[in-house]
Amino acid sequence: MQVNELVTDLYHHMEWADASAWATVLRHDTARHDGLIRGTLHHIHLVQQAFLAVWQGDPIDRHAGEGLEAAALAAWARPYYARARAHVAASAGPALDTPLTVPWSGQIAAHLGFEPGPTTLGETMVQVYAHTGHHRGQVLSRLRALDVTPPLVDYIAWLWQRRPPAAWT
């Protein structure tokens, strides 16, 4: 499997897993109205869209999606996945090794305690997948704390199910 094929596969999984998490959130009033879940989901999708904007040379709207209630936030987030997969598919081979400066990396240098090193387009694509999975795990943990059974969204579970498409509600 080529690198961009793997990243495309991961992005299909990411959408399926995010849609599964959203479906669970939207089915339960306590989850749908939980500020921590809403804030984390907003952060996930804002970061996804910010990276896509960087990849495409578009301006970043740091306030996009603010104030949306859960269903509207899910609807706002959904179009990202097809756009991101299209960009990943168009970024085959050497393009993935293109150096990429993340515009906000300098802003967090003080927090990190060091100057961020160089990254590539491909590495930032993997970062989006990993970052999303990390924060999705926080959402799923919060669901459990609210006595809501979270969906099983592991990559291997998606593979075992023969890579189902995302089921947005």
Side-chain angles (χ1 to χ4, degrees), residues 75-162:
W76 170 76
R78 184 177 178 182
Y80 162 82
Y81 301 94
R83 292 175 42 232
R85 281 193 312 273
H87 191 81
V88 168
S91 302
L96 294 173
D97 294 325
T98 302
L100 184 80
T101 301
V102 178
W104 55 88
S105 62
Q107 295 171 348
I108 62 168
H111 174 72
L112 295 173
F114 57 86
E115 257 329 287
T119 56
T120 66
L121 173 62
E123 290 166 340
T124 62
M125 288 176 173
V126 173
Q127 167 59 23
V128 170
Y129 177 80
H131 177 268
T132 297
H134 167 76
H135 287 299
R136 186 186 323 108
Q138 292 175 326
V139 170
L140 301 182
S141 292
R142 180 68 178 155
L143 287 171
R144 191 173 304 283
L146 295 172
D147 291 325
V148 174
T149 302
L152 176 62
V153 295
D154 288 16
Y155 180 69
I156 195 77
W158 179 71
L159 294 173
W160 289 338
Q161 294 177 60
R162 295 172 176 75

